[in-house]
């Protein structure tokens, strides 16, 4: 059975997805209280009243800042799993993949592929424009960053994947009975939520092309591969390797990374390279490795809900 279609075996009324989304959002907001309290303790209420997102994210020591920012995800991921199990009576495996079990080799391959490419691209950029980078490595803070990052960043990225490429992808699929609507809707919602990132305030809304394009790429991975394994690996590698290698004062992740980007950020034509060149190239690689076919059907085809036939009692015929 295909990835979205299998949701019909479980409780899939759309109100359950709306309610589940509201619960996750509410709990995630509650779990931001420790971060807010820590900022208030350090700077007082004036930092909140200023409305300066950059200042808010730079108040705390970077490792503590990262830990508190990741804390809501660590609570909401098991909460989402519990909601799916109790209110949809659905297994985590079927939320993850159409395969009989989660293919961890796919997760590993996607993670290592994108981690390697990201590291190479960062090294090349440092070599080509060394004036844009400052060596930032300090052993003890970096070790702490590594431990926090390895544990909590994959939780953060996994929650995002399970919500957008899993929970909502299947929910919208059952609602609209096609593939293209959940693909587009989850991509735009995913991108739209990143509008609150400090990068957008610094660079402008044109960067939303990258965020929405990333959501579209991850959605295509999920539909073509009938599972989230590849998107889980890619997303974890993208955020973890970036947090470890490069930081900047204008990004959401201000970390004790190896390098610090000190350039004056500007948006140019290069914002379109990931969406128009890198992601299509990755899709080509994955398609060859996993022998994908029938792209049109998997990305835009209709979804047929199974017919429910009531069994007529032989002892009480109509």
């Amino acid at each position: 059975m295909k990835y979205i279609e299998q949701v019909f075996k479980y409780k899939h009324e759309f109100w359950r997805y709306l309610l589940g989304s509201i619960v996750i959002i509410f709990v995630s907001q509650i779990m931001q209280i420790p971060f807010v309290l820590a900022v208030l303790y350090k700077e007082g209420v004036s930092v909140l009243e200023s409305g300066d997102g950059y200042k808010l994210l730079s108040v705390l020591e970077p490792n503590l800042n990262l830990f508190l920012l990741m804390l809501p995800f660590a609570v909401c991921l098991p909460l989402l799993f519990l909601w799916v199990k109790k209110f949809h009576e659905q297994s985590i495996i079927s939320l993850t993949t159409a395969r009989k079990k989660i293919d961890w080799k796919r997760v590993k391959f996607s993670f290592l592929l994108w981690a390697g490419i990201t590291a190479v691209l960062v090294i090349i950029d440092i070599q080509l424009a060394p004036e844009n980078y400052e060596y930032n490595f300090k052993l003890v803070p970096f070790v702490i960053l590594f431990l926090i990052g390895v544990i909590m960043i994959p939780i953060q990225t996994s929650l995002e994947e399970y919500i957008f490429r899993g929970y909502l992808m299947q929910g919208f699929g059952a609602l609209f009975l096609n593939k293209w609507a959940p693909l587009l809707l989850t991509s735009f919602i995913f991108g739209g939520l990143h509008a609150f990132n400090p990068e957008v305030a610094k660079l402008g809304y044109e960067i939303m092309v990258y965020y929405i394009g990333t959501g579209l790429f991850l959605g295509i991975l999920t539909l073509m591969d009938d599972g989230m394994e590849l998107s889980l690996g890619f997303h974890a590698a993208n955020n973890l390797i970036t947090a470890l290698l490069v930081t900047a004062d204008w990004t959401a992740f201000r970390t004790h990374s190896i390098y610090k980007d000190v350039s004056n950020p500007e948006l140019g034509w290069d914002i379109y390279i990931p969406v128009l060149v890198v992601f299509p190239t990755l899709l080509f690689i994955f398609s060859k490795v996993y022998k994908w076919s029938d792209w049109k059907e998997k990305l835009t085809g209709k979804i047929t809900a199974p017919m429910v036939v009531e069994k007529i009692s032989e002892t009480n015929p109509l």
Side-chain angles (χ1 to χ4, degrees):
M1 183 171 287
K2 296 180 180 178
Y3 179 64
I4 294 180
E5 284 84 340
Q6 66 185 345
V7 79
F8 292 110
K9 297 188 295 183
Y10 311 102
K11 293 182 177 180
H12 58 275
E13 298 87 354
F14 194 67
W15 67 264
R16 297 178 186 272
Y17 295 93
L18 288 177
L19 184 58
S21 300
I22 292 171
V23 169
I24 295 297
I25 292 171
F26 176 75
V27 174
S28 69
Q29 296 300 308
I30 294 297
M31 291 309 302
Q32 290 180 27
I33 291 177
F35 172 79
V36 174
L37 291 178
V39 171
L40 287 174
Y41 178 79
K42 187 75 180 293
E43 288 289 319
V45 72
S46 60
V47 70
L48 297 179
E49 293 176 341
S50 69
D52 188 339
Y54 296 113
K55 188 176 181 180
L56 188 64
L57 289 173
S58 61
V59 168
L60 302 177
E61 190 276 330
N63 282 331
L64 176 60
N65 188 74
L66 179 63
F67 176 80
L68 292 177
L69 287 176
M70 295 295 101
L71 190 58
F73 298 93
V75 173
C76 289
L77 181 60
L79 176 61
L80 176 63
F81 288 165
L82 181 63
W83 181 270
V84 169
K85 183 177 181 180
K86 296 299 183 180
F87 285 84
H88 295 267
E89 297 181 0
Q90 180 178 359
S91 67
I92 304 306
I93 292 178
S94 65
L95 181 66
T96 309
T97 184
R99 287 168 272 276
K100 293 182 179 180
K101 60 181 181 179
I102 298 173
D103 189 344
W104 293 106
K105 289 183 179 180
R106 274 174 155 84
V107 178
K108 181 180 177 181
F109 174 73
S110 181
F111 180 92
L112 293 177
L113 176 64
W114 186 237
I117 292 174
T118 301
V120 169
L121 291 176
V122 169
I123 292 171
I124 290 175
D125 197 47
I126 292 173
Q127 295 300 316
L128 293 177
E131 69 278 4
N132 291 339
Y133 295 90
E134 179 181 283
Y135 189 65
N136 191 54
F137 180 77
K138 296 177 182 177
L139 179 59
V140 174
F142 180 80
V143 170
I144 297 173
L145 165 65
F146 182 84
L147 294 174
I148 295 173
V150 167
I151 295 171
M152 301 198 74
I153 289 180
I155 293 176
Q156 175 245 328
T157 57
S158 294
L159 176 64
E160 293 185 4
E161 288 309 300
Y162 272 105
I163 288 176
F164 293 103
R165 262 60 67 179
Y167 192 62
L168 292 181
M169 182 76 79
Q170 291 184 340
F172 283 135
L175 177 66
F176 293 103
L177 297 179
N178 61 50
K179 308 284 182 64
W180 60 267
L183 175 60
L184 293 180
L185 283 171
T186 55
S187 300
F188 276 98
I189 297 172
F190 174 78
L193 290 179
H194 285 79
F196 301 101
N197 282 19
E199 293 92 335
V200 177
K202 182 69 174 180
L203 299 174
Y205 283 100
E206 192 176 356
I207 197 175
M208 296 301 293
V209 171
Y210 168 74
Y211 290 126
I212 295 173
T214 301
L216 187 63
F217 164 69
L218 294 170
I220 293 173
L221 278 185
T222 300
L223 292 179
M224 289 303 304
D225 202 49
D226 272 328
M228 290 170 44
E229 291 98 335
L230 297 179
S231 68
L232 285 169
F234 174 92
H235 202 161
N238 186 73
N239 287 26
L240 178 60
I241 300 305
T242 301
L244 294 177
L245 292 184
V246 182
T247 189
D249 290 336
W250 44 271
T251 63
F253 278 2
R254 300 184 183 190
T255 66
H256 289 293
S257 57
I258 298 175
Y259 288 94
K260 182 177 181 179
D261 186 341
V262 295
S263 65
N264 184 30
E266 294 181 357
L267 275 183
W269 58 269
D270 54 320
I271 192 63
Y272 296 96
I273 291 180
V275 177
L276 299 179
V277 178
V278 177
F279 293 161
T281 301
L282 287 172
L283 287 173
F284 176 78
I285 293 172
F286 286 128
S287 70
K288 293 303 180 182
V289 172
Y290 297 108
K291 298 178 173 56
W292 294 344
S293 61
D294 203 4
W295 288 67
K296 183 178 180 180
E297 168 59 28
K298 287 189 174 182
L299 298 181
T300 65
K302 294 181 179 180
I303 295 173
T304 303
M307 294 182 62
V308 177
V309 180
E310 295 185 1
K311 183 178 180 180
I312 301 175
S313 172
E314 295 179 359
T315 58
N316 296 292
L318 295 178

